[in-house]
Amino acid sequence: MSDIADRVKKIVVEHLGVEEDKVAENASFIDDLGADSLDTVELVMAFEEEFGIEIPDDAAETIQTFGDAVKFISDAS
Amino acid sequence: MMRRVVVTGLGLVTPLASGVEETWKRLLAGQSGAGTITRFDPVNVATKYACEVPLGDGSDGTFNADDHMAPKERRKVDDFILYGMAAADMAVKDSGWTPEDEEGQLRTGVMIGSGIGGLRSIEETTLIIRDKGVRRVSPFFIPGALINLISGQVSIRYGFKGPNHSVVTACSTGAHAIGDASRLIQFGDADVMIAGGAEAAICEIGIAGFNACKALSTKWADNPKAASRPYDEDRDGFVMGEGAGVVVLEEYEHAKARGANIYAEVLGYGLSGDAYHITAPSEDGDGGFRAMQAALKHAGVTPDQVDYVNAHGTSTMADPIELKAVERLLGDAASKATMSSTKSSTGHLLGAAGAIEAIFSILAVRDDVAPPTINLDNPAVETVLDLAPNAKRERKINVAISNSFGFGGTNACLCLGKPR
């Protein structure tokens, strides 16, 4: 697994309080990992902070799964 | 006939300890919860000490946040909500009232207030905006700082769907919450109310703010445990405390029908306004007097029946004003009553003070013992009242009153007694 994926996973585990093995490629933050809409806002902020990037609101809405997040950040970095 | 309200559950998080019986034991033993501030570096503020909740693994009376809220949830709320949730959790468990049926849930409400709310969160978020910009403001900042979010969080955890309300009356908050919640039961809006107050304002902005009002003690950095000394010559302001007190209030027949343990009865409640000054009480103490008078009238209690007064007694210049008002209220009976300020041990918990002190009054009624006023070495007052200096008083306590007065000239008095 890439360095980016590891770091994203760590953030997800920490913020959502879920087991690491639950954070699969297609795991949906809301449907599978118990996040609500405020949690997802906070997750995106944490990604921005960790990777020093800016994720505009309309892009943030497309990040629904762990895989989405890794792909977006990989493309942006 | 008016519906009667009794107390069937208690929860405490205080600077003395986490837990009702552990706090009560230390209070009666005359311990102090004061120490040097650790919540932030107090290098820049005039007051270097406060009464902080002892944090730890939960043993020996320490507060273990994990026992009450998952780390994931805790991160999203200010500490005043954490303390309030913890005290509510204890009180609900103590009462045994966790209805699974809809009717029971609909008839149970929550009214837990705070004097200031998420002050530390406001401070931290302001610095985030300055240092990192507005895009770094947490989506949980607002719901983690709003005062009524203890009531909201408690209702969500337990499914309590009755009245959901919150009180904000500075240092009278806890007493007003318990009094107002008991009225909701009397009026028939609910059969059970979870009520109380919580505070966590030991942060730089909180200490600096109260220092600016000249309200806090500053001269006892070398011996913080002696700093809160109501009625004493050497008092120089209040010592800030933090924590929460929550009670389960229940309609009497409802409590009896389910065989609940009844600690005490809420006999009366009185409220008044000073209409005088934003921070100082009126010099004749008339506002406090009228609140006490109203509570006794509501309770149908005569002054000579009052055995114990838990004073507001903040260890400030206002102490003698309240004392005179109590003497005026009790008249010839004053010499038979005991009055103590438990703030000498706990410090002043602001919006939680009225709630923890109502609980101390309830326990005084239960155990027939009045907690002491510690650090009262050189009284600055002359009175026939027994102020229980430095030692608890074992005595019959059928009726107790608990006073709380707040900035803005807001006064509340609760009258609590053995169930009739």
Side-chain angles (χ1 to χ4, degrees):
Chain A
M1 194 178 274
S2 71
D3 166 60
I4 287 175
D6 280 344
R7 287 155 71 191
V8 170
K9 183 174 278 189
K10 187 162 172 279
I11 289 169
V12 172
V13 165
E14 200 178 285
H15 282 257
L16 301 183
V18 291
E19 299 294 328
E20 208 177 311
D21 57 9
K22 293 272 191 319
V23 189
E25 173 78 21
N26 58 354
S28 158
F29 297 130
I30 290 179
D31 296 333
D32 301 318
L33 302 176
D36 63 21
S37 60
L38 295 181
D39 289 319
T40 60
V41 173
E42 202 191 33
L43 269 182
V44 167
M45 283 173 54
F47 297 151
E48 288 182 330
E49 185 108 320
E50 172 73 17
F51 295 99
I53 55 173
E54 187 164 321
I55 305 176
D57 286 352
D58 52 350
E61 281 167 26
T62 68
I63 301 176
Q64 304 282 336
T65 67
F66 171 60
D68 293 342
V70 174
K71 182 170 185 312
F72 184 93
I73 293 161
S74 302
D75 293 348
S77 305
Chain B
M1 191 188 146
M2 182 104 75
R3 281 155 58 94
R4 294 168 58 187
V5 179
V6 293
V7 180
T8 57
L10 305 176
L12 279 176
V13 177
T14 76
L16 291 174
S18 176
V20 173
E21 300 304 333
E22 195 58 39
T23 294
W24 183 232
K25 196 172 78 187
R26 293 176 191 199
L27 185 70
L28 292 178
Q31 294 184 21
S32 163
T36 301
I37 289 173
T38 65
R39 295 281 183 271
F40 69 98
D41 183 350
V43 64
N44 293 320
V45 289
T47 296
K48 314 290 184 193
Y49 46 90
C51 291
E52 298 179 345
V53 168
L55 306 179
D57 63 1
S59 64
D60 194 30
T62 55
F63 178 75
N64 184 352
D66 289 341
D67 293 344
H68 306 282
M69 223 173 178
K72 170 171 100 90
E73 297 305 318
R74 215 157 66 222
R75 234 172 17 82
K76 303 174 185 174
V77 301
D78 192 275
D79 280 349
F80 84 100
I81 294 181
L82 170 65
Y83 295 149
M85 287 287 283
D89 204 34
M90 291 177 202
V92 168
K93 284 186 178 126
D94 184 36
S95 75
W97 179 248
T98 49
E100 299 289 332
D101 64 304
E102 190 169 26
E103 176 61 15
Q105 294 180 339
L106 290 171
R107 298 294 298 163
T108 304
V110 191
M111 174 140 32
I112 301 171
S114 178
I116 313 184
L119 192 59
R120 189 186 189 119
S121 303
I122 293 168
E123 176 185 74
E124 287 171 350
T125 302
T126 304
L127 295 177
I128 286 171
I129 288 178
R130 188 193 65 183
D131 297 339
K132 298 181 178 176
V134 291
R135 285 178 56 81
R136 286 289 166 273
V137 173
S138 166
F140 300 106
F141 162 55
I142 295 291
L146 289 182
I147 284 176
N148 72 300
L149 259 286
I150 308 174
S151 293
Q153 293 267 14
V154 169
S155 74
I156 293 163
R157 176 174 287 185
Y158 291 101
F160 295 149
K161 295 174 183 166
N164 200 270
H165 205 334
S166 197
V167 174
V168 182
T169 51
C171 306
S172 303
T173 298
H176 273 134
I178 293 170
D180 288 355
S182 70
R183 294 266 159 101
L184 291 181
I185 294 173
Q186 284 169 336
F187 200 71
D189 295 290
D191 293 325
V192 182
M193 288 293 297
I194 319 304
E199 204 76 78
I202 303 175
C203 51
E204 193 166 30
I205 194 172
I207 298 291
F210 279 101
N211 271 153
C213 308
K214 305 292 175 201
L216 290 178
S217 167
T218 59
K219 294 178 182 162
W220 293 85
D222 294 337
N223 188 10
K225 289 189 186 309
S228 187
R229 41 196 317 114
Y231 317 110
D232 189 87
E233 280 288 357
D234 297 315
R235 71 193 190 284
D236 72 326
F238 77 79
V239 178
M240 197 187 290
E242 61 172 0
V246 173
V247 299
V248 175
L249 301 172
E250 193 163 348
E251 193 271 326
Y252 175 66
E253 298 296 339
H254 188 278
K256 216 170 66 171
R258 70 181 185 93
N261 172 45
I262 295 174
Y263 284 95
E265 180 166 357
V266 180
L267 301 174
Y269 168 47
L271 316 77
S272 74
D274 281 353
Y276 176 71
H277 188 266
I278 51 171
T279 60
S282 62
E283 282 166 33
D284 57 6
D286 193 58
F289 173 80
R290 286 182 284 111
M292 289 187 271
Q293 194 179 41
L296 293 195
K297 185 181 172 201
H298 178 212
V301 163
T302 53
D304 62 306
Q305 291 174 304
V306 176
D307 301 303
Y308 173 60
V309 181
N310 187 292
H312 185 58
T314 53
S315 187
T316 62
M317 290 306 122
D319 294 352
I321 295 174
E322 179 189 17
L323 182 73
K324 288 275 178 261
V326 172
E327 286 173 341
R328 180 180 161 204
L329 179 85
L330 300 184
D332 293 339
S335 62
K336 294 189 301 176
T338 297
M339 171 163 112
S340 61
S341 169
T342 46
K343 289 188 180 77
S344 57
S345 287
T346 63
H348 188 355
L349 274 68
L350 309 176
I356 72 163
E357 288 160 22
I359 291 173
F360 296 154
S361 302
I362 288 161
L363 294 169
V365 165
R366 180 191 71 176
D367 293 348
D368 287 314
V369 58
T373 304
I374 67 167
N375 298 319
L376 179 45
D377 301 327
N378 300 301
V381 293
E382 272 185 47
T383 179
V384 295
L385 279 158
D386 168 26
L387 298 176
N390 298 313
K392 66 182 179 185
R393 287 282 186 272
E394 289 184 25
R395 54 161 296 159
K396 192 74 188 166
I397 300 178
N398 290 321
V399 174
I401 60 173
S402 183
N403 283 339
S404 294
F405 311 139
F407 279 4
T410 174
N411 312 298
C413 177
L414 291 167
C415 182
L416 303 147
K418 289 189 167 55
R420 289 165 176 165

